[in-house]
Structure formats: structure tokens, C-alpha cells
């Protein structure tokens, strides 16, 4: 990853202001540890000699610092740490030693040339020791500088990678939400043909039996369908709103079947007002109960709707038909799939020889584990 140029420039500026003085102190401290009894530490020198020594040391440490920085920058482009870290360590250390040795050799060669040593006298032993000690210290100092610079580079790249990873996770989550929303919309679109299929089948029967009743049925059917058009696009609706719609829908059933079908709703008002469910879910369950069970005045089909364990339960007694009616078979599957997208809570289905039950989880507006946004 490429760092911000302004951030990099600011770092390099402060880096030199801080690191170069530290390098000078480290250089002097290392010299003292290697040979604390060197006569140079205790010799008296003039102010001019002191200034010359400080300037030379400052220039030398600056050169070492620049070499280390330059080498790290070049190797970051040629052999990045994230590709071959082992090879990078070896090449960086060896290259640093070679470059510092060359610079050190050139500087001391220049020093020997201008030094007052007479021809044939040779270099004193203490000066030879001092030269080799300085070389070793210079190499160690260069490695220290390179380590600091490389550490900053790795930390900066790690931080950038973490930010990129976080951004990628956010984008992935956003794409998942969009995909879930698209899937939810696709599932909700199945409601319209399912509703029309079953009710037009009923209407076709009524047209043959009683045309006036068919006209009245069609009028109420239009009212109900208008409600569906305004709510099917929503992810959830309030339970109260859904129960009011169900009351209107059940009128259509009573127009055709009379008291062969009984609807019993026992839902506290505060629950109905404060909780939400998937739209058209209760209507689909009532519709399926009527469609797949026979009913008579003597043995009516009883559909019960009540609250239990933060779920709305739709229960009907089982009276199977002798013949299987055609069905699009998307109603119950649609409800189950929609709840998978709306919440971590799942639709439960219980059945025995007497009853068939569907348990729909109640959703809260501030629910935290839902998977889509409540509109």
C-alpha cells in the first residue's frame, strides 16, 4: 500500500530531527562502553577542537542515517517485506555493512591523508583500534537506524492493511445486506400471484353459484388487494395492522363459507401495537388452512390466533380434504424464507393428528439481530 505523501514527508522530517541526535548519543555511548579508559575521553581540548569534533560527528552520523534510510527505501521497492522477509533481512544487513564500510573507508582514508603522520611512521596502535571500533559501532548504528525505519514502514503498512480490511468487511456486509434485500423483495413478489391464484379460483366458483355474491366478493377482494399492494413492499408491518387486514380478508371467507370457518383472535392490544411481523403472513396461513381442510356447520374449521413465548401462533384443526386441490405451494415456504432474512428467529411448524400450528416470531423495531432494515 502507498502511504500518504504528506504523512510520509512529515514523518521523514521529524524522523531526522529525532533520530540523528539519538544516533550521535548512541555512537558516543558505544565508544565509551568499548573503551572507557581511552585517553581521548579525559584529554583537555580547545573549544575549536571540540566544535570540529562535534561537526565531524554530526556529519558522519547524518551520512550513516541517510545511507540507512536510502537503502531501506530502495529495498522496500525491490524486495518488499511481505514477499520474502528472510531474504530481505539478509540483503538489507549485508548491503548496509558494505555501504557503511565504503563510506567509513573513504572518510578515514581522507583523514589519514590529511593527518600529520610522517612518511614511514605508520599508524599508531591506539588509532588502529579506534578505527576498527568506530567501524563496528557505525555498522551497529546503521542497523539500528534501518530497524527503526523498517519498523515504521511495517507498522504503517499493517495499519493501512487493517483499515483496508475493515473497509472491505464493511463493503462485504453492505453487499450481503443488498443481496438479502434483493432476495427478500423477490420472495415478497411471490405473494401477489399466490393471492390471485387462490382467490380467483374461489371467485370462479362463486360466479357459477351466485353472481350477486360474486360481485360483492369481488368488491371486497379489490379492497383487500389494495391493502396488499401498499404493504407487500414492506419488510415488516405492525401486528395490529396485520390483524386489521386479516379481519377484512376473513370477511371474504365468511361471504362464501358462512360459519363453516371460525376465526378466534386472542391478542393483547399492547402486543399488537408494539410488535411486528412479516406482511401478509397471517393471511397466507389462514388462506392455506381454508384451502387444505374441509369444513361444515356441524364440524367447522376453527382457526385460532394467539400469543405464546414472543410468537404469534396460528392454529387450525385438521380435517383433510378427500381430494388434493391445485396449489402454487409458495405460501408457507415464502413465510419461512422471509423470516430467515428478517431475523435470526425461525418459523416453527408443529402438527399432530388434531392440529396444525405455525409459530411466527414477533419482531421489535429496535431488534438488533435482524438481518434487514425495517422500513
Amino acid at each position: 500500500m502507498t502511504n500518504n505523501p504528506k504523512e510520509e514527508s512529515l514523518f521523514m522530517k521529524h524522523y531526522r530531527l529525532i533520530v540523528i541526535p539519538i544516533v550521535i548519543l548512541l555512537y558516543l555511548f558505544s565508544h565509551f562502553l568499548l573503551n572507557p579508559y581511552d585517553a581521548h575521553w579525559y584529554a583537555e581540548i580547545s573549544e575549536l577542537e571540540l566544535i570540529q569534533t562535534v561537526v565531524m560527528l554530526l556529519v558522519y552520523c547524518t551520512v550513516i542515517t541517510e545511507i540507512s534510510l536510502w537503502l531501506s527505501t530502495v529495498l522496500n521497492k525491490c524486495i518488499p517485506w511481505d514477499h520474502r522477509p528472510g531474504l530481505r533481512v539478509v540483503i538489507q544487513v549485508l548491503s548496509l555493512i558494505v555501504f557503511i564500510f565504503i563510506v567509513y573507508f573513504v572518510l578515514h582514508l581522507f583523514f589519514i591523508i590529511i593527518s600529520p603522520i610522517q612518511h614511514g611512521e605508520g599508524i599508531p596502535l591506539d588509532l588502529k583500534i579506534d578505527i576498527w571500533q568506530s567501524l563496528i559501532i557505525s555498522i551497529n548504528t546503521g542497523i539500528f537506524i534501518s530497524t527503526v525505519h523498517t519498523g515504521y514502514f511495517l507498522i504503517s503498512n499493517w495499519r493501512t492493511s487493517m483499515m483496508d480490511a475493515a473497509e472491505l468487511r464493511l463493503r462485504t456486509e453492505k453487499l450481503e445486506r443488498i443481496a438479502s434485500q434483493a432476495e427478500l423483495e423477490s420472495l415478497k413478489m411471490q405473494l401477489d400471484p399466490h393471492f390471485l391464484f387462490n382467490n380467483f379460483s374461489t371467485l370462479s366458483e362463486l360466479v357459477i353459484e351466485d353472481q350477486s355474491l360474486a360481485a360483492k366478493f369481488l368488491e371486497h377482494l379489490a379492497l383487500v388487494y389494495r391493502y396488499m399492494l401498499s404493504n407487500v413492499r414492506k419488510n415488516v408491518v405492525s401486528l395490529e395492522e396485520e390483524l386489521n387486514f386479516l379481519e377484512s380478508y376473513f370477511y371474504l371467507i365468511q361471504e362464501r363459507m358462512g360459519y363453516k370457518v371460525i376465526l378466534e383472535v386472542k391478542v393483547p392490544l399492547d402486543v399488537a401495537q408494539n410488535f411486528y411481523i412479516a406482511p401478509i403472513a397471517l393471511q397466507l396461513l389462514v388462506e392455506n388452512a381454508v384451502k387444505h381442510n374441509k369444513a361444515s356447520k356441524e364440524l367447522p374449521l376453527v382457526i385460532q390466533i394467539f400469543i405464546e413465548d414472543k410468537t404469534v401462533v396460528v392454529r387450525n384443526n385438521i380435517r383433510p380434504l378427500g381430494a388434493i386441490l391445485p396449489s402454487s405451494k409458495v405460501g408457507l415456504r415464502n413465510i419461512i424464507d422471509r423470516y430467515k432474512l428478517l431475523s435470526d428467529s425461525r418459523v416453527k411448524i408443529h402438527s399432530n393428528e388434531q392440529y396444525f400450528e405455525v409459530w411466527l416470531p414477533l419482531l421489535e423495531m429496535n431488534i438488533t439481530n435482524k438481518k434487514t432494515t425495517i422500513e
Side-chain angles (χ1 to χ4, degrees):
M1 300 297 174
T2 303
N3 295 326
N4 189 313
K6 292 184 179 179
E7 179 184 351
E8 181 72 16
S9 177
L10 184 63
F11 165 75
M12 297 301 289
K13 177 181 177 181
H14 291 289
Y15 181 90
R16 287 171 170 81
L17 291 176
I18 296 173
V19 172
I20 292 177
I22 294 177
V23 169
I24 294 175
L25 294 176
L26 179 64
Y27 187 89
L28 294 174
F29 183 69
S30 300
H31 256 293
F32 182 79
L33 287 180
L34 285 176
N35 190 4
Y37 302 105
D38 191 342
H40 292 89
W41 294 111
Y42 310 100
E44 294 184 1
I45 58 177
S46 64
E47 292 183 0
L48 180 60
E49 291 177 330
L50 178 61
I51 293 175
Q52 291 175 344
T53 303
V54 170
V55 170
M56 291 178 59
L57 187 60
L58 178 61
V59 172
Y60 181 64
C61 290
T62 301
V63 171
I64 294 178
T65 302
E66 292 300 326
I67 289 175
S68 302
L69 291 177
W70 172 79
L71 184 61
S72 294
T73 302
V74 171
L75 291 179
N76 285 340
K77 298 177 181 178
C78 301
I79 310 175
W81 282 101
D82 53 351
H83 288 176
R84 303 184 68 180
L87 179 63
R88 168 63 184 270
V89 171
V90 174
I91 292 180
Q92 181 159 320
V93 171
L94 293 179
S95 301
L96 189 62
I97 292 174
V98 170
F99 276 103
I100 290 179
F101 181 83
I102 293 173
V103 171
Y104 192 83
F105 176 79
V106 171
L107 290 177
H108 279 78
L109 181 62
F110 176 76
F111 172 77
I112 292 173
I113 293 174
I114 66 173
S115 67
I117 300 175
Q118 299 297 326
H119 179 72
E121 291 183 0
I123 301 174
L125 179 61
D126 58 342
L127 183 57
K128 292 181 179 179
I129 295 175
D130 186 66
I131 290 174
W132 282 106
Q133 286 179 350
S134 298
L135 177 61
I136 295 174
I137 293 172
S138 299
I139 293 173
N140 291 337
T141 304
I143 293 175
F144 166 77
I145 298 169
S146 181
T147 301
V148 172
H149 183 261
T150 301
Y152 165 79
F153 180 82
L154 293 177
I155 292 174
S156 179
N157 270 18
W158 172 81
R159 183 182 62 183
T160 303
S161 300
M162 292 296 292
M163 293 176 64
D164 290 345
E167 182 180 356
L168 180 60
R169 284 196 298 269
L170 290 175
R171 292 179 60 186
T172 301
E173 291 175 1
K174 184 177 180 180
L175 289 174
E176 289 178 352
R177 287 197 300 269
I178 293 174
S180 296
Q181 188 70 24
E183 185 178 354
L184 182 61
E185 291 297 325
S186 175
L187 290 169
K188 288 190 293 188
M189 288 299 294
Q190 296 178 12
L191 296 174
D192 293 353
H194 183 62
F195 177 80
L196 291 174
F197 179 86
N198 287 331
N199 285 282
F200 281 160
S201 297
T202 301
L203 181 61
S204 64
E205 296 176 4
L206 290 177
V207 169
I208 299 174
E209 297 175 2
D210 189 331
Q211 292 185 1
S212 62
L213 185 60
K216 189 175 183 179
F217 183 89
L218 184 58
E219 180 183 353
H220 285 281
L221 178 61
L223 294 175
V224 171
Y225 192 69
R226 185 178 297 115
Y227 171 88
M228 293 186 64
L229 287 178
S230 62
N231 287 278
V232 73
R233 303 297 176 185
K234 297 180 180 179
N235 291 341
V236 296
V237 294
S238 69
L239 180 56
E240 181 182 29
E241 190 176 4
E242 183 73 4
L243 289 174
N244 290 336
F245 160 67
L246 182 62
E247 183 179 352
S248 300
Y249 171 75
F250 192 71
Y251 176 83
L252 301 179
I253 296 177
Q254 283 189 319
E255 283 292 323
R256 181 170 63 90
M257 304 186 66
Y259 292 98
K260 295 179 183 179
V261 180
I262 300 173
L263 178 64
E264 299 177 354
V265 179
K266 297 180 180 179
V267 177
L269 181 60
D270 61 330
V271 174
Q273 292 177 341
N274 296 318
F275 289 90
Y276 299 78
I277 65 170
I280 324 297
L282 295 183
Q283 181 266 332
L284 285 174
L285 294 177
V286 171
E287 180 184 358
N288 284 343
V290 173
K291 185 174 179 63
H292 298 293
N293 291 279
K294 61 184 179 180
S296 63
K297 293 182 179 179
E298 295 76 17
L299 296 173
L301 174 66
V302 180
I303 303 173
Q304 298 173 303
I305 299 177
F306 55 93
I307 303 299
E308 186 171 332
D309 294 335
K310 290 189 176 182
T311 60
V312 54
V313 183
V314 181
R315 173 192 292 172
N316 65 270
N317 55 332
I318 296 179
R319 301 198 65 223
L321 296 170
I324 300 177
L325 296 178
S327 173
S328 55
K329 298 181 180 180
V330 300
L332 187 57
R333 183 74 260 169
N334 181 282
I335 295 172
I336 293 173
D337 290 343
R338 277 193 289 159
Y339 264 95
K340 285 181 180 179
L341 297 174
L342 289 169
S343 171
D344 290 334
S345 301
R346 295 290 180 257
V347 174
K348 297 179 182 179
I349 301 174
H350 298 159
S351 63
N352 54 36
E353 295 180 355
Q354 296 180 328
Y355 295 103
F356 178 82
E357 295 179 344
V358 178
W359 295 46
L360 302 178
L362 292 173
L363 306 175
E364 299 180 41
M365 179 60 78
N366 61 345
I367 190 168
T368 58
N369 63 343
K370 61 181 180 295
K371 297 183 180 179
T372 58
T373 303
I374 293 178
E375 297 178 356

